[in-house]
């Protein structure tokens, strides 16, 4: 299995802050990296697929970058509704493993 | 509207069997892979496996191979996740989700999980 490691596990930020979080794969996954947002008690939502493609209706303050083994999710200006847990997922091979998540909390 | 609707919460005892369901509507059910994801209480997301309703091609995460069975009844657009003998450690929320697809160079590329069910809570306790 490809292992996905996210960092940090949590971060504190204020509304309006620029936030970045990382995801590292245990082997090259080329560009096949997706990001999800999950709020408490809710199903995850797809934010970004294939490293940098925004899913429909996702605000443009979200962006993704990277390739190979190292990837980044950036929120350019944090909104109140962005406080949530973010998961990366590789879709390079058929066992679509997830990272353990980065929780974005209010400072 | 494209949606996946899952069956309701279940409470079982260890050793019992269980089958939960995921009903797709608003799209051609046989054209998209359906995946299952586990989320244990207070923990992250874990990939269980996926099935292609068109031909029942099924793939499992090594961690779940032999522990669960994924199946589908394409005539009624429902995917299933089945346990033959539950353990307390199976207690979790289980989500089904559709793999989104786009056409790339005359073939389908499946990317992330673009539509999710609401989740089914499974509690296993004596």
């Amino acid at each position: 299995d490809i292992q996905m490691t996210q960092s940090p596990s949590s971060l504190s930020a204020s509304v309006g802050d620029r936030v970045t979080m990382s995801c590292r794969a245990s082997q090259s996954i080329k560009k096949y990296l997706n990001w999800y947002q999950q709020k408490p008690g809710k199903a995850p939502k797809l934010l970004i697929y294939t490293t940098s493609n925004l899913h429909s209706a996702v605000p443009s303050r979200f962006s993704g970058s990277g390739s190979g083994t190292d990837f980044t999710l950036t929120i350019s200006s944090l909104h109140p509704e962005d406080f949530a847990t973010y998961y990366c997922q590789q879709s390079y091979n058929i066992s679509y493993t997830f990272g353990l998540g980065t929780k974005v909390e209010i400072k | 509207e494209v949606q996946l609707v899952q069956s309701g919460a279940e409470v079982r005892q260890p050793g019992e069997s269980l089958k939960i369901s995921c009903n797709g509507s608003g799209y051609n059910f046989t054209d998209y892979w359906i995946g299952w994801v586990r989320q244990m209480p207070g923990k992250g997301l874990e990939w269980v496996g996926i099935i292609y309703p068109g031909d029942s091609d099924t793939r499992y995460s090594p961690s779940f191979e032999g522990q669960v069975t994924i199946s589908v009844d394409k005539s009624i657009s429902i995917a299933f996740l089945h346990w033959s003998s539950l353990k307390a450690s199976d207690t979790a929320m289980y989500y089904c989700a559709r793999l989104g697809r786009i056409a790339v160079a005359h073939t389908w590329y499946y990317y992330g999980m673009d539509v999710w069910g609401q989740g089914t809570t499974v509690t296993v306790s004596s």
Side-chain angles (χ1 to χ4, degrees):
Chain A
D1 259 7
I2 298 174
Q3 308 302 315
M4 307 301 294
T5 302
Q6 290 187 244
S7 61
S9 57
S10 65
L11 63 90
S12 296
S14 301
V15 172
D17 283 353
R18 180 182 179 88
V19 168
T20 62
M21 61 193 76
S22 297
C23 178
R24 175 167 287 179
S26 60
Q27 67 181 72
S28 175
I29 57 171
K30 299 187 178 180
K31 61 180 180 177
Y32 300 110
L33 192 282
N34 310 308
W35 291 97
Y36 299 85
Q37 178 194 66
Q38 187 181 31
K39 296 180 180 179
K42 300 292 187 182
K45 291 184 178 179
L46 179 64
L47 290 177
I48 290 173
Y49 62 93
T50 323
T51 297
S52 58
N53 297 282
L54 259 60
H55 188 48
S56 58
V58 172
S60 59
R61 63 181 179 272
F62 291 92
S63 65
S65 63
S67 67
T69 60
D70 292 303
F71 301 86
T72 300
L73 174 67
T74 299
I75 309 172
S76 61
S77 178
L78 204 61
H79 285 209
E81 60 268 30
D82 300 337
F83 292 96
T85 300
Y86 294 84
Y87 294 94
C88 64
Q89 178 201 41
Q90 64 83 14
S91 49
Y92 177 74
N93 70 15
I94 204 66
S95 191
Y96 284 22
T97 42
F98 293 93
L100 294 181
T102 293
K103 186 174 184 178
V104 178
E105 299 174 301
I106 301 172
K107 184 184 283 185
Chain B
E1 179 192 5
V2 176
Q3 60 179 351
L4 297 173
V5 178
Q6 298 185 230
S7 49
E10 303 277 3
V11 179
R12 293 285 189 276
Q13 295 189 341
E16 293 187 332
S17 64
L18 175 65
K19 183 182 275 191
I20 62 174
S21 66
C22 171
N23 187 352
S25 61
Y27 71 100
N28 192 341
F29 186 74
T30 56
D31 285 347
Y32 291 77
W33 292 83
I34 293 285
W36 288 94
V37 175
R38 182 175 80 175
Q39 189 167 37
M40 300 177 77
K43 301 298 184 182
L45 305 173
E46 297 175 90
W47 178 261
V48 175
I50 55 172
I51 189 164
Y52 188 72
D55 61 7
S56 296
D57 185 6
T58 309
R59 318 287 177 87
Y60 295 94
S61 162
S63 301
F64 290 89
E65 182 94 52
Q67 308 304 309
V68 296
T69 302
I70 296 171
S71 61
V72 69
D73 186 337
K74 64 182 180 181
S75 69
I76 53 173
S77 300
I78 298 182
F80 300 97
L81 182 63
H82 173 249
W83 294 261
S84 59
S85 180
L86 286 160
K87 309 180 192 66
S89 57
D90 293 319
T91 295
M93 176 73 82
Y94 292 86
Y95 294 101
C96 65
R98 187 185 81 163
L99 289 190
R101 70 177 192 179
I102 52 174
V104 177
H106 307 291
T107 190
W108 290 110
Y109 164 61
Y110 291 90
Y111 52 94
M113 307 177 92
D114 66 343
V115 179
W116 290 69
Q118 82 278 20
T120 296
T121 301
V122 173
T123 303
V124 184
S125 175
S126 55

